[in-house]
């Protein structure tokens, strides 16, 4: 289906952006280390690292679901009927679907509360609701990835 193909491209691109976020984290930490040696410290590096690592970790979840890079117990299913394995995979995809929906719902309220109470980081005064935005996008994409894998597993759609 064309909508699945579009979803796959968006999810793959989102994971690549997560890699770029990690690259920026590395640069910030290099700057912090080198900068402290030459007298150009980076204030707030820990705050930025915390926020960006959280966002990056969520950015990889849809990719892992879509490409089935989650932890599995293949040793138990290697000799089973392929149709039964697809059913088990479908159940796992449905669990991921429910997990994504639940987290998306609750994290949305978490972001709204954080925004309402004007929470911000101590040193840089970055509003703490900002990292929620890529996290919520990631959870929405995780939901889409779980829909795609559920359809593939239970109905053979691709």
């Amino acid at each position: 289906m064309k909508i699945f193909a579009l979803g796959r491209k968006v999810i793959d691109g989102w994971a690549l952006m997560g890699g770029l976020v990690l690259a920026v984290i590395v640069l910030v930490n290099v700057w912090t280390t080198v900068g402290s040696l030459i007298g150009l410290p980076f204030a707030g590096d820990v705050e930025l690292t915390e926020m960006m690592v959280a966002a990056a970790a969520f950015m990889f979840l849809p990719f892992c679901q879509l490409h089935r890079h989650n932890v599995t117990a293949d040793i138990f299913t290697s000799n089973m009927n392929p149709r039964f394995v697809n059913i088990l995979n479908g159940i796992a995809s449905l669990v991921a679907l429910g997990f994504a929906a639940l987290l998306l719902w609750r994290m949305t309220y978490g972001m709204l509360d954080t925004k309402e109470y004007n929470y911000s980081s101590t040193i840089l005064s970055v509003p703490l609701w900002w990292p929620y935005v890529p996290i919520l996008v990631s959870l929405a994409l995780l939901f889409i990835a779980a829909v795609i894998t559920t359809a593939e597993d239970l109905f053979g759609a691709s």
Side-chain angles (χ1 to χ4, degrees), residues 90-114:
I91 292 168
S93 292
L94 284 171
V95 169
L97 187 69
F99 178 73
L102 178 67
L103 276 178
L104 184 59
W105 169 46
R106 298 313 307 162
M107 293 287 280
T108 299
Y109 283 112
M111 182 191 75
L112 293 174
D113 282 348
T114 303

Side-chain angles (χ1 to χ4, degrees), residues 2-154:
K2 287 189 178 199
I3 191 76
F4 285 180
L6 175 62
R8 287 177 183 283
K9 286 181 181 179
V10 170
I11 288 167
D12 288 347
W14 190 248
L16 287 172
M17 287 177 47
L20 290 175
V21 169
L22 288 178
V24 169
I25 294 167
V26 168
L27 292 175
V28 165
N29 284 282
V30 167
W31 179 357
T32 299
T33 304
V34 173
S36 66
L37 294 174
I38 61 173
L40 296 170
F42 189 109
D45 62 317
V46 173
E47 292 177 353
L48 285 179
T49 299
E50 288 173 348
M51 288 184 257
M52 292 172 75
V53 165
F58 275 88
M59 291 173 85
F60 296 121
L61 290 177
F63 181 87
C64 290
Q65 176 65 32
L66 184 65
H67 295 285
R68 302 172 191 281
H69 292 306
N70 293 316
V71 176
T72 59
D74 293 340
I75 192 167
F76 297 112
T77 59
S78 61
N79 294 323
M80 290 184 177
N81 179 328
R83 181 66 186 144
F84 185 69
V85 173
N86 280 345
I87 291 170
L88 290 176
N89 288 337
I91 292 168
S93 292
L94 284 171
V95 169
L97 187 69
F99 178 73
L102 178 67
L103 276 178
L104 184 59
W105 169 46
R106 298 313 307 162
M107 293 287 280
T108 299
Y109 283 112
M111 182 191 75
L112 293 174
D113 282 348
T114 303
K115 189 175 180 183
E116 180 180 340
Y117 290 109
N118 270 339
Y119 291 135
S120 63
S121 65
T122 306
I123 296 171
L124 298 175
S125 296
V126 174
L128 292 182
W129 66 268
W130 286 4
Y132 278 86
V133 175
I135 290 171
L136 292 174
V137 170
S138 298
L139 291 172
L141 290 173
L142 177 60
F143 184 87
I144 292 167
V147 167
I148 292 170
T149 56
T150 301
E152 288 174 350
D153 296 333
L154 298 181

